[in-house]
Amino acid sequence: MGLTLDRCLSLMCVIMILLPSLCFSQNYYVSSRATYYGSPDCFGTPTGACGYKDYGSTVNGGEVTGVSKLFKNGTGCGACYQVRCKYSKHCSEDGVKVVVTDHGEGDNTDFVLSARAYNKLALQGQAEILFSYGVVDIEYKRISCQYPGYNLMFKVHEHSRFPNYLALVAIYQAGVSEITAVELWQEDCQEWRGMRRAYGAVWDMPNPPQGAINLRFQVSGSKWVQLKSLIPSEWKAGATYNTAIQLD
């Protein structure tokens, strides 16, 4: 039996009432724990599981993190979170914004922060106390990544070997969207060929198409974004190619 007009209008009103609260719920903080890892310069590590290399150690001023369950088999790479600790005498109100560049687990922790990021959790003069704790109670929420002055870029991973093996990694990915698939156009077959998620944020393909490469990627499992001739025919390992776009 179909819905009457009155019932349809009532249902629409309920949806309109619920939508703001559903959107607002994304701002809720989730309780967890965090620790840190050491490095000579207090930046991130260039050997992180996301495959970002040097970008992964210095992006966001080195305020980066490894995550456990939020890694999501690599889909969580590049996500941004606001993290703040819960000890009022020692912790800053806003905490720190971090970018996921690695997989890592501690003592029942969701975050393993770089030393620079962990330091930002503290009030001025209180960082030494937090470092002495080793693990702290925190709360976190997902936030939009922002890279002013940068477009989304695809970097040819250093492990690539022209022309037989191509691996790509997206960097400076703004917004809250996740890249869930990457495909390259095969001109002679007139079809899109899917790249494999090799690990972390790295997508690869043996025997990639010859010539300038058309690329498309899927955002958060639905929208496809197509980029014509993004990768030149004579691509090189380590080179970075600007998409001239940015995600929301």
Side-chain angles (χ1 to χ4, degrees):
M1 183 172 62
L3 292 173
T4 66
L5 179 59
D6 288 343
R7 291 184 65 188
C8 286
L9 291 174
S10 297
L11 181 58
M12 289 177 64
C13 289
V14 170
I15 293 173
M16 293 300 293
I17 291 170
L18 286 176
L19 276 176
S21 62
L22 289 172
C23 294
F24 181 76
S25 70
Q26 297 174 3
N27 292 324
Y28 288 169
Y29 279 90
V30 179
S31 294
S32 185
R33 284 154 55 89
T35 186
Y36 68 94
Y37 61 91
S39 62
D41 52 12
C42 300
F43 282 99
T45 171
T47 59
C50 288
Y52 287 136
K53 296 294 185 180
D54 289 340
Y55 169 86
S57 63
T58 59
V59 66
N60 195 42
E63 293 168 9
V64 297
T65 185
V67 292
S68 51
K69 65 185 181 184
L70 297 173
F71 187 73
K72 297 188 287 186
N73 294 319
T75 304
C77 289
C80 295
Y81 292 90
Q82 194 75 31
V83 181
R84 61 191 188 190
C85 59
K86 294 184 175 181
Y87 312 130
S88 58
K89 292 183 179 180
H90 310 305
C91 299
S92 64
E93 182 177 351
D94 293 330
V96 62
K97 167 194 166 183
V98 292
V99 180
V100 174
T101 59
D102 200 359
H103 179 274
E105 296 185 57
D107 180 12
N108 293 317
T109 62
D110 279 316
F111 292 85
V112 183
L113 304 169
S114 68
R116 286 176 181 263
Y118 194 85
N119 182 77
K120 283 287 189 71
L121 295 176
L123 291 167
Q124 187 172 1
Q126 299 296 303
E128 186 174 347
I129 295 175
L130 292 190
F131 278 104
S132 71
Y133 290 161
V135 178
V136 292
D137 293 324
I138 58 101
E139 53 187 11
Y140 70 89
K141 66 178 180 179
R142 178 76 184 271
I143 60 173
S144 176
C145 295
Q146 302 293 330
Y147 298 107
Y150 288 92
N151 294 320
L152 172 68
M153 301 182 186
F154 277 90
K155 180 180 179 181
V156 178
H157 197 273
E158 287 81 354
H159 290 166
S160 299
R161 295 292 180 269
F162 181 84
N164 299 317
Y165 174 73
L166 175 63
L168 299 173
V169 57
I171 59 176
Y172 297 113
Q173 181 180 334
V176 294
S177 299
E178 297 170 343
I179 293 177
T180 57
V182 180
E183 296 182 344
L184 306 183
W185 177 250
Q186 186 76 39
E187 181 65 27
D188 54 355
C189 299
Q190 292 291 293
E191 67 178 8
W192 288 99
R193 291 175 55 195
M195 301 189 80
R196 176 185 69 121
R197 185 187 290 277
Y199 65 94
V202 180
W203 300 84
D204 72 351
M205 177 183 289
N207 303 312
Q210 297 180 358
I213 297 176
N214 297 334
L215 176 151
R216 71 177 186 178
F217 60 91
Q218 192 175 36
V219 179
S220 299
S222 56
K223 177 184 176 183
W224 284 92
V225 179
Q226 185 170 331
L227 304 166
K228 186 176 182 180
S229 300
L230 176 68
I231 311 297
S233 57
E234 299 292 328
W235 51 264
K236 297 180 180 179
T240 301
Y241 301 104
N242 193 333
T243 68
I245 65 171
Q246 190 52 277
L247 301 182
D248 297 327

